[in-house]
Amino acid sequence: MRQLWIDGRATPSRGGSVRVIQDPATLDAVDEVYEGTAADVEAAVQSASDAQTRWRKVPAVERARLLHDVAIALRADRARLSELLTREGGKPRIENLDEVEWCAACVDYYAEIARNSHGSSVPPVAEHQINFTIKEPLGVVGCIVPFNYPLLLLTWKIAPAIAAGNTVVIKPSELTPLATLRMLEQCLSHLPGGVANVVTGGAAVGEAIVDHPQVACIAFTGSTAVGTRIATKAAARLARVNLELGGIDPCVVFEDANLDVAVPGVAWARFLNAGQVCTSAKRIYLVEKIAAPFTERLVEHVKTIRLGHGMDPDTDMGPLVSARALQRVEDQVGRAVAQGARVAAGGRRQPDAGPGHFYAPTVLTGVVPQHPVVCEEVFGPIASIQVVKDAEEAIAMAARSEYGLGANIYTSNLTWAMQAMTEIKAGTFWINDPLTDNDAAPFGGMRKSGMGRELGEEGLDAFRETKHVHLDFVPEKKPYWFPYRQRAAEIPG
Ligand code: NAD
């Protein structure tokens, strides 16, 4: 049984029930956690709030030193962290080893830029004045994350927030809390107590964090529906939000694309983490000239993707995270087929991979914009193919969306690439190399995919306020103060 992490120590819940965490590949119990309560959230926020009054005064260089120690601890614990990520979430272990390394790199990045990024001096408007800005932390930040990259999406929040002098209250996904608890216990435990706290549980814990008057900012990654609800509640008390939400990202393969790159690239961008990636290639547009050979080769490639338990080094793709997720994907494919889409590969559960929530990597052809597999976000291994006449039509179709998280294209034609980049609204635009993130480059969504940015300097500023300081070093009474009759001559007529 894992405890909550509050005030720098493992803490039992105040009245919470027990939730069993299941391995989605085997359906075996992995461990148990508390379903936290409002009293647990209260204790965590109080601890974070007390700690913040001290943490914000710790010199940035000392905060950087402590964060570099966190990165060292993450790398030292990568074997266990990656195993826990695999057992609770189902991703292949190699992807989870990468995830832990990306977390460590992100912590190192923010340790450095937070101590080097500061306010600026501002030209004064009169004599003997000095004007400058300083960057201040917001206070307590609530961090609510989804199941698909439990540590990475958390690190994108807590590394900049803590580096900037905030303290955090974390709510992991109710499906994947184990690696997060381990990370707090093993890698963040040398930070002062209360700087980082974890309350496990579901929506009720998340709502208690969102509603708490001492939580200054909610950093959320998850579905558009939940993000919209959080934004509405936060607006009622003018709390800040940073929202990383869903996406139905387009992927365009132009007629000049090298299929030796585009076929495996699209397959990886769609089937990575069993298609449970916010930026995966969810609407695939093939220009007519290459549509047949591309589809044929994609179907062949898909046959080589090995399903299995993520701890098996030969596994390329694990299960979906839950029975609910599996049911939803099955339903979306069923409705698309009923409306005329054709199954070129997969299109069924794959029980021979294990007793868990396995769904075969699937290729659907004959897809049209009205099909549920492109109108709704499909969080599963479904490649939905639409064939378009030419580059112009491809760009127009790709640009047509209410979402705007990412987009990826394959071409060496500069004109098409830049036209697509200009027309498609997306926070990240990948050309010939999908889904690669860069700690120094901002990541986030437009439209229904969210607001605000993580990573880069913008990801640090998401957790800081700017204060303008005006100093007059020769105190004197100003001629523009009361009484105004001394300025009567300035009034025209
Ligand atoms: P989800 O929205 O169901 O849950 C996300 C988190 O919110 C979980 O911790 C959940 O317990 C919590 N939550 C649920 N209801 C809540 C409420 N009423 N108040 C506060 N918290 C609440 O999402 P999910 O199924 O875990 O993840 C999949 C979704 O996340 C997809 O839509 C995907 O596109 C999106 N996502 C976005 C990004 C991004 O960076 N934009 C990254 C990964 C995933």
Side-chain angles (χ1 to χ4, degrees):
M1 173 79 190
R2 312 305 305 170
Q3 314 237 318
L4 311 178
W5 186 262
I6 297 176
D7 212 24
R9 67 185 86 88
T11 310
S13 169
R14 293 146 177 83
S17 55
V18 171
R19 180 191 283 268
V20 176
I21 302 304
Q22 211 182 34
D23 181 329
T26 61
L27 308 185
D28 293 339
V30 183
D31 210 331
E32 293 176 342
V33 295
Y34 282 111
E35 190 65 33
T37 62
D40 295 324
V41 171
E42 182 61 34
V45 173
Q46 284 314 326
S47 167
S49 191
D50 293 349
Q52 209 265 329
T53 59
R54 297 181 292 276
W55 181 244
R56 69 185 170 89
K57 292 180 187 149
V58 172
V61 67
E62 174 63 5
R63 292 204 293 259
R65 193 186 63 74
L66 288 167
L67 283 169
H68 284 308
D69 287 347
V70 170
I72 290 167
L74 277 164
R75 291 189 173 105
D77 202 36
R78 64 199 282 270
R80 182 68 182 138
L81 285 170
S82 60
E83 180 179 349
L84 278 175
L85 285 169
T86 297
R87 294 204 184 277
E88 65 184 346
K91 282 210 299 293
R93 185 131 185 251
I94 198 74
E95 291 178 17
N96 288 324
L97 283 163
D98 286 346
E99 181 169 346
V100 176
E101 172 51 34
W102 296 336
C103 292
C106 179
V107 171
D108 277 336
Y109 170 75
Y110 277 113
E112 285 310 302
I113 72 156
R115 82 186 178 93
N116 286 305
S117 164
H118 31 66
S120 55
S121 70
V122 179
V125 292
E127 263 187 285
H128 47 75
Q129 294 178 349
I130 293 183
N131 292 71
F132 59 95
T133 63
I134 57 170
K135 298 284 186 176
E136 293 187 343
L138 304 175
V140 177
V141 176
C143 303
I144 302 177
V145 285
F147 70 85
N148 59 341
Y149 289 89
L151 297 190
L152 186 67
L153 300 173
L154 175 64
T155 302
W156 288 5
K157 297 166 180 52
I158 65 172
I162 292 174
N166 302 279
T167 56
V168 297
V169 175
I170 298 160
K171 194 202 86 61
S173 164
E174 58 274 37
L175 301 172
T176 55
L178 299 176
T180 304
L181 288 169
R182 169 91 186 178
M183 175 174 161
L184 268 283
E185 290 166 12
Q186 292 294 314
C187 311
L188 279 88
S189 51
H190 63 281
L191 296 178
V195 168
N197 307 273
V198 181
V199 182
T200 52
V205 172
E207 299 230 344
I209 293 171
V210 171
D211 288 339
H212 200 293
Q214 278 166 273
V215 173
C217 170
I218 298 112
F220 173 79
T221 300
S223 61
T224 298
V226 174
T228 306
R229 181 171 168 80
I230 288 175
T232 308
K233 288 172 132 247
R237 61 179 187 87
L238 289 182
R240 275 225 212 175
V241 288
N242 208 54
L243 302 172
E244 301 288 346
L245 309 180
I248 310 185
D249 288 4
C251 164
V252 180
V253 184
F254 289 93
E255 66 196 57
D256 69 322
N258 177 350
L259 297 193
D260 290 342
V261 175
V263 170
V266 170
W268 187 74
R270 187 51 192 136
F271 299 120
L272 168 71
N273 194 6
Q276 301 167 114
V277 181
C278 53
T279 47
S280 62
K282 294 180 185 136
R283 293 181 283 137
I284 300 167
Y285 299 100
L286 304 180
V287 171
E288 211 165 36
K289 269 194 189 154
I290 50 91
F294 180 97
T295 308
E296 201 176 303
R297 288 177 64 172
L298 182 67
V299 167
E300 283 308 303
H301 187 82
V302 160
K303 287 184 193 151
T304 68
I305 296 176
R306 260 191 67 130
L307 266 68
H309 196 289
M311 291 302 287
D312 178 346
D314 287 336
T315 293
D316 297 313
M317 202 178 104
L320 291 171
V321 74
S322 66
R324 200 160 148 246
L326 177 63
Q327 181 63 53
R328 182 172 157 81
V329 167
E330 194 170 46
D331 169 67
Q332 287 170 316
V333 172
R335 283 187 285 133
V337 170
Q339 291 172 32
R342 291 181 297 280
V343 175
R348 56 181 173 79
R349 295 184 183 214
Q350 193 156 330
D352 57 329
H357 316 300
F358 289 96
Y359 196 87
T362 295
V363 179
L364 293 181
T365 57
V367 172
V368 297
Q370 296 74 26
H371 285 166
V373 281
V374 286
C375 303
E376 300 166 11
E377 185 181 30
V378 179
F379 227 52
I382 314 301
S384 299
I385 292 184
Q386 301 184 60
V387 178
V388 291
K389 188 164 84 263
D390 53 19
E392 198 184 330
E393 190 182 23
I395 294 169
M397 298 272 286
R400 207 175 297 156
S401 177
E402 294 181 305
Y403 292 82
L405 191 55
N408 56 93
I409 67 166
Y410 294 84
T411 184
S412 297
N413 182 311
L414 195 57
T415 305
W416 293 338
M418 290 300 99
Q419 275 172 346
M421 187 275 290
T422 308
E423 294 304 317
I424 297 170
K425 281 188 94 64
T428 310
F429 192 83
W430 288 282
I431 306 166
N432 299 326
D433 182 14
L435 310 199
T436 306
D437 298 318
N438 178 340
D439 289 332
F443 177 93
M446 302 179 182
R447 298 170 166 161
K448 288 188 174 176
S449 294
M451 54 176 79
R453 290 291 179 270
E454 295 189 316
L455 298 182
E457 289 221 31
E458 289 176 55
L460 181 62
D461 263 340
F463 301 111
R464 305 195 297 187
E465 292 278 20
T466 305
K467 180 180 279 175
H468 168 219
V469 181
H470 172 94
L471 164 71
D472 188 332
F473 56 87
V474 180
E476 60 186 6
K477 180 176 177 299
K478 301 296 182 224
Y480 45 83
W481 295 351
F482 297 138
Y484 287 154
R485 73 176 144 333
Q486 69 196 7
R487 297 180 63 192
E490 293 176 36
I491 299 172

